[in-house]
Amino acid sequence: MEILAFGVQADEKPLIERAFRDQEEVRCLDVFLNEDTAPIAAGHEIVSTSVNADLGAAVLEILAAGGTRMVAQRSTGFNNVDLDTAERLGMTVARVSSYSPYSVAEFAWALAMAVNRRVVRASIRTRDFDFRLDGLMGRDLHGRTAGVLGTGKIGEAFARIAHGFGMRLLGWDVAENPACVELGMRYVPKGELLARADLITLHVPLMAETRHLIDAAALKAMRDDAILINSSRGGLIDSAALVGELRAGRFAGVGLDVYEAEAGLFFLDKSLEAVEDDTLARLVTFPNVLVTSHQAYYTEDAVGQIVDATVRNVLDYREGRRSENVLVPRS
């Protein structure tokens, strides 16, 4: 029976087709799952979705009415899924609980280095044969302080790189990671981390408790010359409040691979359209801000692991097994 995969990127398609080749038939669509596209899934018992899919109650109702019984999400995050509705409808939901933490941690560092050393501005200038150094001065990160909010696998990988740079480490999490403590990380309250860190990076999941973890008060607590990096979930930062602080001339650099209202924008070509999101439009105009399109996870290694895990989730569903990836079990 054919599986329908929504939101498949061009680079991702051959990996999905190859992984499913000996197990299931799969049809890949580049459109994202939402209320308008959900009827396409009629007749498909299993659908696979990407991180920006709309899996709210209305969409799940449409899927269930069309015969869908299993949703295999190709991401770790599941804040886009109405789990209560899925359970009520008897739909199995699975995700990918983990993949290469280095993909996200290394990209977070790419953002940090790019904004610190003004790489994007320098690249634009040299394309115009402007080789001046004015406005391109950065700072050594060696000897400065990195603050890691969320010290799971990705936060630990980021901390290891920071340790290699010779940075002091501050951490904040609900539980200490012994590996980070061995690196010399000192766990402190969030307020102290924000006030002391030169470089702040976010690696926590998006939940009700963490939404706008970096709100107006948190932003004001940060150093004026701090660097802020978010490669986790857009909803962790109050974007409107961030714009307000940037307009006041604060922060040495901000790197955002995620944005709280990215659904319907990220992964799509909007270059010929008027973007109606005033906050995002303002963010990309600041010279010390770099916005990328949720690509931190997008390496051959990580996507390969995500696809392989998705195949296992489908096989587990077929054979009635349950793993740590199952959010709503088969009824």
Side-chain angles (χ1 to χ4, degrees):
M1 186 174 294
E2 186 180 67
I3 297 168
L4 191 62
F6 285 91
V8 177
Q9 303 297 313
D11 297 330
E12 184 185 15
K13 183 177 180 181
L15 296 176
I16 291 177
E17 291 176 338
R18 184 162 58 247
F20 276 101
R21 181 174 52 208
D22 299 327
Q23 307 294 339
E24 308 271 350
E25 293 183 24
V26 61
R27 181 159 63 105
C28 297
L29 303 178
D30 59 2
V31 297
F32 293 93
L33 179 62
N34 54 41
E35 284 193 61
D36 293 329
T37 60
I40 301 173
H44 292 83
E45 181 182 353
I46 301 172
V47 300
S48 178
T49 58
S50 61
V51 66
N52 275 340
D54 176 357
L55 286 163
V59 171
L60 291 174
E61 293 277 4
I62 296 171
L63 292 177
T68 298
R69 293 294 174 262
M70 194 255 185
V71 174
Q73 175 136 301
R74 303 186 309 278
S75 73
T76 298
F78 55 92
N79 53 283
N80 59 323
V81 187
D82 187 330
L83 298 179
D84 291 336
T85 297
E87 184 174 15
R88 176 175 59 79
L89 294 170
M91 298 177 70
T92 299
V93 179
R95 60 156 179 167
V96 177
S97 58
S98 65
Y99 55 86
S100 168
Y102 310 107
S103 60
V104 179
E106 291 172 4
F107 193 82
W109 267 105
L111 290 175
M113 294 303 296
V115 296
N116 178 44
R117 300 306 300 269
R118 315 292 191 256
V119 173
V120 174
R121 186 187 300 180
S123 176
I124 293 171
R125 282 188 185 180
T126 55
R127 286 176 180 270
D128 291 332
F129 296 96
D130 179 352
F131 299 103
R132 293 172 301 159
L133 297 181
D134 296 346
L136 301 182
M137 184 176 287
R139 294 178 295 173
D140 288 1
L141 292 177
H142 176 86
R144 287 188 160 81
T145 300
V148 185
L149 293 162
T151 57
K153 293 180 180 179
I154 297 173
E156 178 189 331
F158 186 96
R160 290 189 181 279
I161 298 171
H163 183 262
F165 270 86
M167 300 186 76
R168 294 183 294 270
L169 296 172
L170 296 179
W172 177 84
D173 209 328
V174 294
E176 295 186 3
N177 182 337
C180 291
V181 174
E182 286 185 14
L183 292 172
M185 177 177 285
R186 190 163 67 87
Y187 282 83
V188 297
K190 184 180 76 169
E192 181 179 345
L193 184 151
L194 296 175
R196 295 185 56 191
D198 300 286
L199 167 61
I200 296 166
T201 183
L202 308 181
H203 300 292
V204 301
L206 179 61
M207 304 177 292
E209 299 82 2
T210 60
R211 181 170 293 278
H212 287 182
L213 179 70
I214 304 299
D215 57 12
L219 290 165
K220 290 187 181 301
M222 291 167 54
R223 299 166 58 102
D224 287 345
D225 60 354
I227 293 172
L228 174 63
I229 304 297
N230 187 11
S231 58
S232 183
R233 288 291 181 267
L236 297 176
I237 296 179
D238 183 337
S239 304
L242 177 59
V243 167
E245 296 302 309
L246 288 165
R247 291 183 62 185
R250 301 190 65 223
F251 307 137
V254 175
L256 304 174
D257 184 52
V258 287
Y259 174 64
E260 61 181 324
E262 68 182 54
L265 289 172
F266 282 22
F267 305 145
L268 300 171
D269 182 2
K270 297 290 185 178
S271 60
L272 298 180
E273 302 177 27
V275 175
E276 298 179 359
D277 189 320
D278 292 339
T279 301
L280 179 60
R282 190 70 180 93
L283 276 172
V284 300
T285 65
F286 291 104
N288 56 335
V289 175
L290 174 57
V291 178
T292 53
S293 53
H294 206 140
Q295 69 183 80
Y297 79 99
Y298 206 53
T299 66
E300 292 180 6
D301 310 81
V303 174
Q305 292 167 18
I306 289 169
V307 171
D308 289 344
T310 302
V311 173
R312 291 195 300 272
N313 288 342
V314 169
L315 293 178
D316 285 346
Y317 165 78
R318 293 284 198 208
E319 298 175 16
R321 295 190 299 262
R322 181 173 179 178
S323 73
E324 71 280 1
N325 288 339
V326 176
L327 299 170
V328 180
R330 185 170 184 172
S331 58

